[in-house]
Amino acid sequence: MTQALIAKTKLADLVSFLALCGKVVGPVPLGHGQFKFAEVRSLAEMALDYIPTILPPKKYFMPQYETLLRYDGADGQQMQAVVEVEELVLFGVHTCDLAGIQCLNVVFSDRPRDLHYMIRKNHITLIGLECSDYCDSYASCAMLRNHLPKGGYDLFFSELSDGYFVDIKTQKGEQLVEESGLFEPVSDAAREQLQELRRAKKQIFRSEVPIRYQDIPRLFDETFDSDVWTRIGEKCLSCGNCTNVCPTCYCFDVMDEPDLDLTRGRRIRVWDSCQHETFAKVAGDESFREQRSDRKRHRFNRKFRYPMKRYKRMFCTGCGRCSRSCMAKIDLKETLGALMEERG
Amino acid sequence: MMERPKVAFFDLSCCEGCQLQVANLGEELLDVLGLIDLVEFREVMSETWEGRYDVAIVEGSVVNEESEQRLREIRRRSDLLIAYGSCATIGGVNGMKNRKPLPEVQQEVYGERADWFPTDRTRPLHQLVKVDYFIHGCPIHPQEFIKVLKSALAGLPYQVPDYAVCVECKFNENVCLYDKGVTCLGPVTRAGCNAWCVNNGNVCYGCRGLVSNPNRAGAEEVLREHGLDAGLIANKMLMYNAAMEPCDE
């Protein structure tokens, strides 16, 4: 079985079933039109009609503060690698965030492989949820081709009139479908409804910026010395919101935290950001990217140009979080527009 | 067993609330006390110490000749000196008097007996003596105190984060106060408190001081766009940061 159906009336039972098996995480409303992924016990706690959460699900794959090892200096220098891991089901993940996780998978599988990430990832079950319409005007998922599912999940739910069409991608997903006993085989009517949903999406989701996907890296290549960066640099507060909320930003700092006895302790990694002045600083107080404009340009190139060369994919998912959370209202789509205008 | 390091707490001009933060550590206080030999701490004990301090933890800012001399004496007798709390690290609320002529503030506070209380402009400790570690905040964040103390005792540097409170606030997934129609100084204030105030429903007042290279024009523009005029912006910024000198940035 590679596809299944579940009735809407049975969705609550499914969440309860998952919660019995382990920790379930889903989109939870915070008020003020905002959401975050948090542990839930029931469907009622979640808001499946949600705009991108404040932090993307990357926080479950690489936590903000992650212990890498414990050390003990009492007798020589003993070190023990630690992977803090728990079984987790991520429920209701949109396609943009699935794309973000796929980017992280690529990076952390690159040599030297990041075993902490790889091990933790194996303990996370991903249940995706299709968007039938735009979250809000900040999204640019169609330009990045992430408004449709492209894998990276165990199960993927698309909403039909009275149920969900479920795409089963992995053995883990198949097991879930079988063991819960809540799913049924797909009908022709359901298949037709899914096609109708996708047809409707074709009309709704159009590239939000008049540029073709394959032309984006060249745009950044040709506008490296553009004044647009200076103007953006003047506005930027270097608050780091854009990188912290980005589903594909993975830069980190590593530091030792001694216990109170000062001989034992742990080595942790903490999210870091190329937008911080300290990030590009090296010995002798030299900085690779002293100006805010340099740092801002670096972030954009790091999404649209550099990873294309190395990984043949863009590291922007179109989720819109960076624009949504920018204190200075630096907007991704506006920036692309300004660069295109300047290039002519 | 090696002798435990002699540690002492002192207070200059301040409300002494930061010292209470230590007294309120709870169970961790016992661990801390197991690590050090506390020789002076007016807030919790009456003993004093005549010898040399391994670590002196000084709260409050310098606002007159007497406190300046006291600070220099403490520095002379201490191997390490920790500036403790906003008053000590950036001048804090005490710094507000630096924005008015001294006789005027003296008159305002002491009235006709103003002459009895000689006063000077507010200065954070590092403007007078060498400071080895900074623990910012009003009050200090207890977990950061423990971190800095461990660094000092282990002889390691402690890097005060030089990025905005927004970073830690985002880590905690708070709804941005600007999205709630409230303004806060998180975007230009240096982190390290884990966005303590915002986590608990308050705004950031900038008590840890500005990041070392804040985008002033950009921040003022953001605040202006949220309906704050220049005077109010300046007042917000200066509540804690008025005693900063250009060389401190």
Side-chain angles (χ1 to χ4, degrees):
Chain A
M1 190 160 58
T2 55
Q3 292 164 342
L5 272 181
I6 184 166
K8 279 187 179 171
T9 49
K10 289 196 176 152
L11 201 60
D13 293 342
L14 176 66
V15 177
S16 305
F17 169 78
L18 295 171
L20 278 180
C21 309
K23 193 167 165 181
V24 181
V25 156
V28 168
L30 290 171
H32 304 275
Q34 297 196 38
F35 303 85
K36 73 168 181 179
F37 277 106
E39 185 175 2
V40 292
R41 309 283 309 159
S42 68
L43 179 68
E45 293 168 59
M46 286 191 274
L48 291 186
D49 187 16
Y50 71 102
I51 67 163
T53 47
I54 295 182
L55 290 183
K58 80 172 171 186
K59 68 176 178 175
Y60 293 107
F61 291 79
M62 47 170 307
Q64 295 91 317
Y65 301 92
E66 179 185 9
T67 304
L68 298 178
L69 58 84
R70 293 206 148 271
Y71 63 82
D72 187 345
D75 180 24
Q77 188 69 280
Q78 319 256 351
M79 291 195 182
Q80 184 72 50
V82 173
V83 187
E84 292 166 336
V85 66
E86 59 183 340
E87 287 299 325
L88 213 64
V89 178
L90 273 167
F91 192 89
V93 183
H94 284 164
T95 44
C96 56
D97 281 344
L98 290 170
I101 295 164
Q102 286 178 307
C103 287
L104 296 181
N105 289 346
V106 167
V107 167
F108 286 110
S109 323
D110 197 1
R111 283 171 195 281
R113 297 178 89 200
D114 192 292
L115 288 177
H116 285 82
Y117 180 94
M118 301 306 284
I119 292 170
R120 186 173 293 108
K121 162 185 164 346
N122 281 336
H123 290 264
I124 300 176
T125 306
L126 276 168
I127 300 182
L129 179 67
E130 181 150 19
C131 305
S132 311
D133 202 349
Y134 273 111
C135 293
D136 61 19
S137 59
Y138 291 111
S140 56
C141 43
M143 174 178 72
L144 279 313
R145 301 173 174 175
N146 283 329
H147 59 303
L148 291 168
K150 293 194 291 189
Y153 49 79
D154 297 289
L155 296 176
F156 187 79
F157 284 43
S158 304
E159 190 178 358
L160 309 178
S161 56
D162 51 4
Y164 290 90
F165 191 99
V166 182
D167 189 40
I168 306 168
K169 203 65 161 183
T170 64
Q171 203 178 358
K172 213 197 262 181
E174 193 172 315
Q175 216 172 327
L176 239 163
V177 167
E178 279 168 15
E179 285 171 11
S180 70
L182 295 164
F183 294 79
E184 51 193 290
V186 282
S187 60
D188 286 344
R191 254 186 259 278
E192 176 49 41
Q193 270 196 52
L194 181 68
Q195 278 175 13
E196 181 49 43
L197 169 74
R198 297 278 163 81
R199 271 197 296 273
K201 278 182 78 167
K202 243 184 194 168
Q203 297 306 311
I204 298 168
F205 291 87
R206 304 280 178 92
S207 183
E208 298 81 4
V209 181
I211 188 167
R212 291 188 310 169
Y213 180 86
Q214 59 268 37
D215 294 338
I216 298 176
R218 208 174 59 227
L219 172 69
F220 284 90
D221 199 10
E222 291 170 359
T223 54
F224 199 78
D225 297 315
S226 162
D227 285 341
V228 170
W229 302 120
T230 316
R231 293 205 295 276
I232 287 179
E234 282 165 5
K235 289 169 77 179
C236 175
L237 302 188
S238 305
C239 67
N241 280 356
C242 51
T243 52
N244 281 327
V245 302
C246 179
T248 72
C249 275
Y250 54 83
C251 287
F252 54 81
D253 196 4
V254 174
M255 54 190 82
D256 284 356
E257 269 196 3
D259 291 344
L260 259 173
D261 67 7
L262 304 183
T263 49
R264 283 170 296 188
R266 56 188 199 131
R267 179 161 297 169
I268 60 166
R269 73 167 149 201
V270 184
W271 292 2
D272 205 348
S273 167
C274 59
Q275 298 308 297
H276 300 160
E277 208 167 16
T278 45
F279 185 88
K281 249 188 195 165
V282 294
D285 245 10
E286 287 298 320
S287 177
F288 290 110
R289 291 181 287 275
E290 205 172 343
Q291 302 300 317
R292 281 175 233 280
S293 51
D294 297 337
R295 303 205 287 273
K296 213 78 238 175
R297 175 177 63 192
H298 177 73
R299 178 172 77 86
F300 277 87
N301 276 276
R302 200 67 181 65
K303 298 292 141 192
F304 295 107
R305 188 163 150 241
Y306 305 149
M308 205 59 178
K309 276 187 194 151
R310 191 177 167 107
Y311 299 118
K312 297 280 179 288
R313 64 163 72 213
M314 270 179 227
F315 269 50
C316 176
T317 69
C319 69
R321 282 188 179 90
C322 52
S323 312
R324 216 173 275 120
S325 67
C326 178
M327 295 309 300
K329 303 248 177 296
I330 296 168
D331 185 281
L332 182 122
K333 289 193 282 181
E334 278 175 20
T335 305
L336 280 163
L339 291 173
M340 287 165 68
E341 194 178 315
E342 180 140 317
R343 186 186 58 171
Chain B
M1 193 184 137
M2 234 170 51
E3 209 181 322
R4 286 177 298 166
K6 303 264 183 284
V7 176
F9 282 82
F10 301 98
D11 42 79
L12 305 174
S13 280
C14 60
C15 73
E16 303 187 23
C18 289
Q19 291 184 64
L20 285 179
Q21 288 294 100
V22 174
N24 286 338
L25 271 176
E27 219 168 293
E28 273 179 306
L29 180 61
L30 299 177
D31 296 332
V32 170
L33 291 175
L35 189 67
I36 60 173
D37 184 8
L38 191 61
V39 293
E40 274 191 57
F41 193 169
R42 200 174 59 79
E43 201 76 37
V44 294
M45 60 194 271
S46 47
E47 292 88 344
T48 54
W49 173 254
E50 300 299 320
R52 201 165 170 76
Y53 308 110
D54 291 295
V55 182
I57 301 172
V58 184
E59 191 194 0
S61 40
V62 174
V63 297
N64 55 29
E65 175 68 26
E66 184 198 351
S67 54
E68 180 177 343
Q69 280 175 8
R70 200 161 158 242
L71 173 65
R72 291 194 191 281
E73 175 63 13
I74 294 165
R75 176 72 266 192
R76 199 181 57 75
R77 286 173 57 194
S78 313
D79 285 345
L80 290 175
L81 190 140
I82 300 179
Y84 180 71
S86 293
C87 298
T89 61
I90 56 173
V93 174
N94 293 334
M96 280 198 273
K97 80 166 172 180
N98 293 12
R99 300 284 149 171
K100 282 184 177 179
L102 272 182
E104 199 179 301
V105 285
Q106 217 172 345
Q107 188 68 38
E108 194 176 320
V109 175
Y110 299 111
E112 59 186 26
R113 296 197 172 91
D115 290 348
W116 295 16
F117 302 98
T119 191
D120 202 350
R121 71 195 163 86
T122 300
R123 279 167 295 174
L125 310 188
H126 68 272
Q127 288 178 10
L128 291 155
V129 297
K130 178 175 176 266
V131 171
D132 301 293
Y133 294 91
F134 290 86
I135 308 178
H136 293 283
C138 175
I140 58 101
H141 191 239
Q143 290 312 309
E144 194 183 27
F145 163 72
I146 291 177
K147 261 190 210 170
V148 176
L149 185 68
K150 286 189 291 195
S151 301
L153 297 177
L156 298 167
Y158 172 74
Q159 305 285 356
V160 179
D162 196 9
Y163 46 73
V165 169
C166 289
V167 173
E168 291 168 345
C169 199
K170 276 282 166 298
F171 279 18
N172 293 322
E173 283 187 275
N174 295 314
V175 173
C176 179
L177 288 168
Y178 287 80
D179 289 336
K180 291 183 175 178
V182 183
T183 51
C184 104
L185 291 184
V188 286
T189 301
R190 60 165 90 84
C193 57
N194 195 29
W196 196 9
C197 291
V198 188
N199 296 346
N200 288 289
N202 209 328
V203 302
C204 174
Y205 295 96
C207 76
R208 296 177 59 84
L210 300 176
V211 289
S212 65
N213 178 22
N215 182 352
R216 281 173 195 278
E220 281 169 16
E221 183 58 33
V222 168
L223 290 170
R224 229 189 327 272
E225 275 175 20
H226 285 83
L228 295 183
D229 69 23
L232 192 58
I233 297 168
N235 277 344
K236 271 182 173 275
M237 298 270 192
L238 291 176
M239 183 161 135
Y240 277 99
N241 294 293
M244 271 201 353
E245 299 287 330
C247 61
D248 296 336
E249 289 180 18

